[in-house]
Amino acid sequence: MVALGEPGYEQYLMDIQGTAFQVGRGKLATCWQVCEALNIREGHAYIQTAHQRADGVWVKGYWRVENQFSFVDPRIQRGNPDVDIGILISTAVGDDAIPYDVPPVTWGESTQLGVGDRVLIGGYPLGRDMFLALSTNRGIVQPTFYDGIVSAIIPATKETETRLIQISTISMGGISGGVVCDPTSGAFLGMVTSGLETAGQSMPITYAIPSEVIRPPTRTQSASWSRAPRYGANHFLQA
């Protein structure tokens, strides 16, 4: 547990590999590319949470990621690298000093999205660097949200693909696994997987997997997710 403003607080800002969202207590979904970036075998992968104490002080808690699972596509009954989904597992047991009080997402109906609909995307773009960019107010880790519209619905062209939501907003490294949500209700509509770059510059095009693809396999652990090899944070961190 580390309190904001304590000496050396910034030293506890770990390397942010991506964004994730909770689908069940201690079960967080993200992109498989984020899962692969984490050093789980060596015990260096963590979920970081923030909690405000009764005295108003914000503290950070770190929860070890203990396992990861890759997506098994129920349509073809095998692993599917064309769908960038993974899940990480943490025991996530809190105490009075710093409870684990991360809420699960509220599922929305991505099947109802159409071109022109407004959405928000949220996550941790630029990772750790985002929270050290200012000369003051440094080290305050919180998600950043972007406003955009659905600019296209991209259909699947083969059996191993799923349709994608194209959104007119910029995405940058660290926001992979971020949420796409309804700007009014906050309901979860999709997960950010990638963005478009030209000549090294981020373009206002972001791609997301719709929630109707993600929700069914997250309801179970063993039936729809296969254990990943033993090698390789809300957001994931790596020490």
Side-chain angles (χ1 to χ4, degrees):
M1 180 177 68
V2 184
L4 183 64
E6 288 183 357
Y9 178 87
E10 292 181 14
Q11 298 177 18
Y12 292 91
L13 290 178
M14 302 174 75
D15 183 14
I16 298 174
Q17 296 293 325
T19 305
F21 52 95
Q22 186 160 250
V23 296
R25 185 174 181 85
K27 180 191 290 187
L28 294 98
T30 185
C31 294
W32 182 242
Q33 60 181 290
V34 175
C35 295
E36 291 185 305
L38 297 175
N39 190 350
I40 296 175
R41 183 178 63 175
E42 301 298 328
H44 294 164
Y46 295 86
I47 302 165
Q48 180 179 298
T49 67
H51 174 75
Q52 189 173 26
R53 298 190 314 213
D55 61 3
V57 174
W58 285 93
V59 295
K60 293 187 296 186
Y62 298 93
W63 315 88
R64 184 175 174 181
V65 176
E66 298 157 355
N67 209 342
Q68 62 183 3
F69 297 87
S70 59
F71 178 64
V72 172
D73 194 327
R75 300 170 301 177
I76 57 175
Q77 297 299 312
R78 63 177 184 271
N80 185 358
D82 287 341
V83 181
D84 188 15
I85 305 175
I87 200 166
L88 296 183
I89 301 296
S90 174
T91 301
V93 176
D95 54 30
D96 291 339
I98 182 162
Y100 184 86
D101 53 5
V102 178
V105 295
T106 298
W107 296 93
E109 293 294 337
S110 56
T111 56
Q112 302 303 308
L113 280 175
V115 173
D117 287 341
R118 301 201 72 83
V119 293
L120 294 178
I121 70 168
Y124 298 85
L126 302 180
R128 183 177 184 271
D129 292 345
M130 181 76 171
F131 310 108
L132 297 175
L134 300 175
S135 59
T136 62
N137 303 80
R138 292 164 60 88
I140 302 173
V141 177
Q142 58 184 346
T144 296
F145 286 84
Y146 298 90
D147 177 73
I149 65 168
V150 175
S151 53
I153 303 293
I154 304 175
T157 59
K158 56 183 180 179
E159 68 170 0
T160 57
E161 294 177 346
T162 183
R163 71 189 192 115
L164 295 174
I165 305 166
Q166 180 179 296
I167 303 165
S168 61
T169 192
I170 289 175
S171 63
M172 293 174 282
I175 205 169
S176 295
V179 299
V180 179
C181 59
D182 184 287
T184 301
S185 68
F188 174 75
L189 298 171
M191 179 180 72
V192 176
T193 60
S194 62
L196 185 65
E197 287 190 358
T198 300
Q201 297 294 317
S202 295
M203 304 299 290
I205 297 292
T206 292
Y207 300 104
I209 298 174
S211 62
E212 83 259 13
V213 176
I214 302 168
R215 187 177 188 182
T218 61
R219 289 174 171 171
T220 61
Q221 179 175 326
S222 59
S224 299
W225 299 89
S226 66
R227 184 166 182 171
R230 292 182 59 85
Y231 53 84
N234 204 8
H235 53 287
F236 290 116
L237 307 165
Q238 185 160 294

